[in-house]
Amino acid sequence: MVSIDPVTRIEGHLRIDVEVEGGVVNDAWSSGTMFRGYEMLIRDRHPWDAQQVMERICGVCPLVHGTAASYCLDDATHVDLPENARIIRNLCLGANFIQSHVLHFYHLTALDYVDVTAVAEYKGNDSALQLLKNKVENMLKAGDVYPFLPRYESPDYLSDPEVTATLVSHYVQALEMRKKGQEMLAIFYGRMPSFVGTIPGGVTNPPTSSNIAAFGAHLDELRKWIDDVYIPDILLLAGVPAFQPLMTAGDSGGNYLVYGGFDQDQSGTEKFLPRGAIYDNNIMDVKGVDETKITESVKYSWYTEASEGLNPKEGKTEPDIQKPEAYSFIKAPRYDGNHMEVGPLARMLVKKHDMMVKLATDLGLLNPPVKFGIMPRHAARAIECKLIADEMPEWLVQLKPGEPIWDPKAKEIPDDSYGHGLVEGPRGALGHWIQIKDKKTANYQAVVPTTWNGSPRDKDGNRGPIETALVGLPVPDVDNPINVVRCVRSFDPCLACAVHMIHPEHNGVKEFRVV
Amino acid sequence: MYIATVDFCACGGCLNSFLSVGEPLLSLLGEHTISFSSLLADRRNISPSDVVIATGGIRNLEELDIAREVSRTSRKVLAVGSCAVHGGIPGMAPLSEEVASLGKDSELPELLEEVEPLDSCMNIDLYVPGCPPTPEVLFEALKSVLEGYAPFHYDGTVCSECIRRVERKPVKSWSAHPGAGLPPEDCLLNHGLLCLGPITRGGCFAVCPSRGSRCMGCRGPSDMVLSSQLHSMHSDMVKFVSLTTGIKENKVEKVLGGMLKEVYLFTRCDPVIRSKANEKLQDGRGGGPS
């Protein structure tokens, strides 16, 4: 057999160790075990290279990185971003949110909750579901139900044949829907992943009546599917009595951070997803965000002590793998000294749209002690997907064919300059920072959403958000740590995970991988 | 047949593209079995497979071991994506001594001095380049291997698929970094953009130039460049630019000499391509004078 721990997958490599005692997680460690060093690849290169190289830091969310890099270089070259460019960037980012959230819920998460084998018991008359039933039956007969099995066994899987057959048919539909989301994005950006079309100072593909119409047609279809399928499915899951403990289990500690996303004006002051910071689950007290309060701790990360406590503007990428206490290549970003959860839940708690407030009220989440666990994280992602998709037609009609799409000032690279690009991606707050010296990239830093969520302990020994969320999680059967993977996946970590479970009684180490 | 997807030093983009094949992917499950895919499911060990879709290059010793094992236990291996075929973007890693020693005397897998394409340690049956290859090209490649027919061979260049038209006229200055707003029918080279369409393998349907961005050469050199020692990516680029602009080759060479990093963005660590570029790429950082 081939050992695949660690394995390179998606765009990184996360390993989780949890210690279980008495059926409950009592400690957890989150480790990124692969060194990428992308920031080092672009040193001394033309600053514009950052846009094309940094988007390849991740094949799942290249769009967000490319967009952050564009804003970063816009800032460094002091451009005035044309309205058309701002809107096209928002539309494509929105398309990316839709395809990413759909992919996460159906293809990466749903199998944690749904017993696919139950489809074989389907007795209804829907011809499409009958077809599906035959397929699953054949797979079961052949003895291979991959990719639906193997899985961690759990008594609480949804196993009603009607419900599971419907959900599995949605799994198949979702493949087409996310493809449609990517096609929509490609209307302006050519292809996805590794898109082209946004550059420092603007975009390269102008709006025309035909590409606006094509984009709108794709969007209409996706919006209908989100309303008819995605939202009802998430509500169905949230209403299952067996999953009620997951409403509060997996709370990351109550600190949330949002940089803000989708600029609504040229200065970026007004944003569709507003900025904000929340501490200790005080969701009614949203604080402003001060970028200078971001620091990165490296006490438990394989980087030299020289970068301890630095703001990313001055950040360093200097590996040191001999540090005795280190266990991760992920740094530990902190805001005002606190670990912060980033992502859809953070954004929806800051935005407090009526739909989110109503759902939280219905689910009893606003009763003290206020805690938002695994299921609210999924619900927030679905609601966000709908809110963005519903807003996009408003943006689409604001495009003006024939008006500028690019500010040529971006070509004038200053001798020395600094720029930052803070955006929101599907998985959370993303920041890129560039220092330009002698017209070349002297330093580049990226702090990605999973750096925030998957961070190790900081210099004070405080756990990162995923580590915190895991502690206290019920794990009745150490051979089937379903709740551990449910919790880790609810953050949508965009990387491979190896779950190493240390069981104090037999002192053995089991290795599991989160997909 | 048993199909596996295996990732080495990859970003996930190729598998993202693979997933974008959509429903036809599931129809494969009727006839064939996916034996391993970390993208799709929970199985932990790579089992012997008939067809392996391998993405990413080889960056560390552990990946090297896995690659050799996969090569030994699989019937057919598809190298998918620029990284698997040519090393790709990670191949321009500035492997300083500090970074190159990573993993030595620790539990972490030791890094190799250079990122290597998959054929440095595996038998490759089909190369599917592109960063990433389109879902259509990827699916067609997989189907051809499953059904045992020869896939379409993209022997043309990106230019042969491009709607822009080149004119023979001089260019004042060159840049690898496009602006926007160029006329949609004009060849980007005519506007002084270092578009690598003339030397890059087609099969992407020239999607980047069609959106106003230059071709960055992600599908690697065309058959013409690979076919003889007389050709290299930069020498052919020099010839083409000279033909297009009417500027003498030695003058073009001077300009392009400073832009080699851009020419070899995706292919710098490929031993075959490096050997053709000979002294031009010896500084180890993906470019000559700059």
Side-chain angles (χ1 to χ4, degrees):
Chain A
M1 279 298 177
V2 180
S3 162
I4 55 155
D5 174 36
V7 69
T8 313
R9 191 176 63 81
I10 311 288
E11 80 312 351
H13 201 148
L14 184 72
R15 170 178 136 180
I16 302 282
D17 297 87
V18 291
E19 194 175 279
V20 179
E21 199 145 21
V24 174
V25 175
N26 69 13
D27 211 345
W29 296 265
S30 158
S31 328
T33 57
M34 186 183 176
F35 177 73
R36 304 293 308 283
Y38 252 62
E39 292 134 326
M40 299 165 86
L41 296 186
I42 51 170
R43 270 185 213 155
D44 297 331
R45 294 182 73 104
H46 191 289
W48 274 48
D49 284 350
Q51 200 277 321
Q52 282 298 322
V53 172
M54 290 310 285
E55 75 170 63
R56 287 174 167 83
I57 202 169
C58 166
V60 177
C61 26
L63 191 110
V64 193
H65 284 282
T67 306
S70 297
Y71 278 111
C72 185
L73 290 157
D74 288 353
D75 186 33
T77 53
H78 316 295
V79 300
D80 294 317
L81 193 66
E83 279 295 276
N84 272 343
R86 174 183 69 77
I87 295 164
I88 287 176
R89 283 188 189 172
N90 282 350
L91 286 169
C92 292
L93 191 57
N96 189 52
F97 265 75
I98 295 172
Q99 69 88 10
S100 177
H101 284 359
V102 168
L103 171 81
H104 176 257
F105 182 66
Y106 286 96
H107 305 124
L108 304 181
T109 288
L111 297 180
D112 283 346
Y113 302 92
V114 180
D115 177 12
V116 178
T117 58
V119 175
E121 308 296 322
Y122 175 71
K123 292 189 173 56
N125 297 324
D126 187 301
S127 59
L129 296 185
Q130 281 285 357
L131 213 64
L132 198 68
K133 173 195 170 159
N134 293 341
K135 202 158 201 168
V136 172
E137 267 181 345
N138 288 339
M139 288 165 91
L140 282 171
K141 266 187 213 150
D144 206 328
V145 197
Y146 203 74
F148 302 132
L149 293 180
R151 63 180 181 201
Y152 299 134
E153 293 306 327
S154 178
D156 59 1
Y157 278 114
L158 266 180
S159 57
D160 179 273
E162 292 276 336
V163 175
T164 50
T166 310
L167 287 174
V168 174
S169 74
H170 294 167
Y171 176 105
V172 179
Q173 284 177 20
L175 270 177
E176 285 299 307
M177 286 302 142
R178 72 168 289 276
K179 183 180 174 187
K180 228 167 251 312
Q182 297 219 2
E183 284 170 358
M184 177 162 82
L185 193 162
I187 290 170
F188 286 114
Y189 282 176
R191 58 185 188 154
M192 174 70 186
S194 301
F195 69 104
V196 293
T198 172
I199 53 171
V203 295
T204 59
N205 200 21
T208 60
S209 53
S210 68
N211 62 23
I212 292 172
F215 196 97
H218 278 74
L219 186 56
D220 286 347
E221 198 176 341
L222 284 165
R223 284 180 63 199
K224 184 167 168 20
W225 192 81
I226 292 167
D227 283 346
D228 294 350
V229 179
Y230 185 13
I231 295 288
D233 282 354
I234 198 87
L235 293 178
L236 183 149
L237 214 60
V240 175
F243 298 146
Q244 293 317 297
L246 305 181
M247 287 296 165
T248 51
D251 173 282
S252 73
N255 297 335
Y256 299 95
L257 178 68
V258 185
Y259 291 162
F262 299 105
D263 290 1
Q264 298 299 294
D265 53 28
Q266 198 193 42
S267 66
T269 326
E270 199 198 325
K271 292 175 190 290
F272 178 66
L273 297 174
R275 299 190 123 195
I278 291 171
Y279 298 107
D280 298 326
N281 275 319
N282 282 321
I283 54 170
M284 297 316 289
D285 184 18
V286 177
K287 310 277 190 200
V289 175
D290 175 0
E291 196 189 313
T292 60
K293 289 185 179 171
I294 301 170
T295 52
E296 291 190 290
S297 178
V298 295
K299 185 175 178 192
Y300 293 93
S301 312
W302 285 301
Y303 296 98
T304 59
E305 280 303 323
S307 51
E308 175 62 42
L310 296 180
N311 180 271
K313 184 179 174 182
E314 312 294 341
K316 292 179 178 164
T317 309
E318 296 172 351
D320 171 11
I321 56 156
Q322 304 299 344
K323 285 171 79 172
E325 290 178 301
Y327 62 94
S328 184
F329 272 123
I330 301 178
K331 294 178 184 173
R334 295 294 184 258
Y335 180 75
D336 209 5
N338 300 289
H339 79 248
M340 309 297 276
E341 175 176 341
V342 298
L345 178 59
R347 290 189 289 251
M348 291 299 102
L349 291 177
V350 169
K351 187 172 173 77
K352 292 190 197 63
H353 186 272
D354 289 349
M355 194 176 166
M356 183 71 194
V357 175
K358 182 174 180 311
L359 184 70
T361 311
D362 291 350
L363 296 175
L365 292 171
L366 302 182
N367 306 329
V370 175
K371 275 186 168 188
F372 298 93
I374 295 169
M375 211 45 89
R377 213 167 271 132
H378 290 306
R381 190 170 286 117
I383 289 173
E384 177 176 83
C385 186
K386 175 175 164 54
L387 294 185
I388 292 171
D390 285 354
E391 193 68 13
M392 282 165 68
E394 301 287 325
W395 303 338
L396 198 58
V397 295
Q398 292 169 20
L399 283 174
K400 295 195 174 109
E403 299 272 308
I405 53 170
W406 181 59
D407 180 358
K409 207 170 165 211
K411 289 282 263 192
E412 299 160 21
I413 306 292
D415 289 335
D416 294 284
S417 186
Y418 153 79
H420 69 165
L422 301 185
V423 299
E424 287 291 329
R427 290 161 186 83
L430 169 69
H432 282 206
W433 287 263
I434 190 170
Q435 295 276 2
I436 297 174
K437 284 209 167 61
D438 301 329
K439 297 188 187 292
K440 288 185 175 173
T441 303
N443 192 18
Y444 203 94
Q445 293 286 311
V447 180
V448 311
T450 305
T451 323
W452 283 101
N453 288 337
S455 76
R457 285 152 172 74
D458 57 30
K459 66 176 171 37
D460 301 320
N462 295 321
R463 297 183 187 96
I466 290 181
E467 291 177 339
T468 308
L470 286 168
V471 173
L473 210 61
V475 181
D477 175 5
V478 288
D479 290 323
N480 287 290
I482 181 75
N483 284 339
V484 172
V485 292
R486 279 173 177 166
C487 179
V488 174
R489 285 182 186 131
S490 72
F491 285 87
D492 193 4
C494 194
L495 28 68
C497 316
V499 179
H500 291 236
M501 178 167 287
I502 302 164
H503 191 253
E505 281 171 29
H506 53 67
N507 206 22
V509 176
K510 285 181 175 296
E511 295 181 1
F512 301 100
R513 218 160 40 70
V514 180
V515 177
Chain B
M1 286 204 226
Y2 288 95
I3 308 165
T5 70
V6 181
D7 312 326
F8 297 98
C9 184
C11 71
C14 293
L15 289 187
N16 188 357
S17 195
F18 183 58
L19 208 55
S20 291
V21 168
E23 274 196 53
L25 207 55
L26 286 177
S27 70
L28 277 183
L29 283 179
E31 270 186 77
H32 307 284
T33 305
I34 296 183
S35 53
F36 176 83
S37 173
S38 54
L39 177 76
L40 292 171
D42 253 341
R43 189 172 289 173
R44 216 183 86 222
N45 295 315
I46 306 171
S47 48
S49 301
D50 295 299
V51 178
V52 171
I53 295 169
T55 70
I58 304 293
R59 178 91 192 241
N60 62 39
L61 286 179
E62 185 173 50
E63 287 162 356
L64 187 64
D65 284 346
I66 297 171
R68 286 180 177 148
E69 180 70 10
V70 168
S71 190
R72 201 176 58 76
T73 58
S74 314
R75 286 181 53 210
K76 300 265 183 192
V77 178
L78 277 70
V80 170
S82 305
C83 301
V85 177
H86 297 299
I89 294 266
M92 66 186 208
L95 294 178
S96 62
E97 281 179 20
E98 176 193 25
V99 176
S101 67
L102 272 181
K104 279 182 184 145
D105 308 319
S106 90
E107 293 173 5
L108 297 163
E110 193 176 317
L111 293 183
L112 299 173
E113 281 186 18
E114 289 277 355
V115 176
E116 291 176 4
L118 290 186
D119 59 9
S120 65
C121 56
M122 302 174 93
N123 290 321
I124 303 296
D125 297 279
L126 189 60
Y127 293 89
V128 191
C131 184
T134 64
E136 293 76 18
V137 168
L138 196 42
F139 191 59
E140 171 67 12
L142 177 61
K143 251 178 54 181
S144 76
V145 173
L146 291 173
E147 295 173 16
Y149 64 87
F152 186 80
H153 178 58
Y154 293 95
D155 55 355
T157 61
V158 173
C159 284
S160 67
E161 298 170 351
C162 187
I163 52 164
R164 294 175 180 270
R165 286 292 155 254
V166 66
E167 274 181 67
R168 190 184 159 89
K169 61 180 185 186
V171 172
K172 279 183 195 156
S173 66
W174 287 91
S175 166
H177 303 96
L182 301 179
E185 62 278 8
D186 288 12
C187 175
L188 297 173
L189 287 168
N190 284 143
H191 290 270
L193 281 179
L194 188 71
C195 179
L196 300 184
I199 54 167
T200 302
R201 183 180 302 282
C204 56
F205 317 111
V207 71
C208 298
S210 77
R211 298 299 193 281
S213 293
R214 73 185 184 101
C215 169
M216 296 187 297
C218 79
R219 282 178 60 76
S222 64
D223 279 0
M224 171 73 99
V225 178
L226 285 175
S227 61
S228 125
Q229 278 297 330
L230 296 174
H231 296 271
S232 75
M233 287 174 76
H234 69 270
S235 68
D236 279 28
M237 197 63 204
V238 166
K239 283 193 191 95
F240 193 90
V241 169
S242 173
L243 276 172
T244 312
T245 58
I247 305 170
K248 284 185 178 161
E249 283 190 22
N250 58 354
K251 281 193 175 171
V252 177
E253 175 90 46
K254 272 187 190 161
V255 178
L256 282 187
M259 298 164 90
L260 283 183
K261 280 180 186 171
E262 315 302 339
V263 176
Y264 293 95
L265 190 63
F266 289 89
T267 50
R268 189 199 75 85
C269 74
D270 185 316
V272 177
I273 294 168
R274 279 175 76 86
S275 72
K276 285 157 143 310
N278 52 55
E279 79 281 3
K280 303 287 181 191
L281 281 172
Q282 292 310 309
D283 72 342
R285 286 292 307 274
S290 179

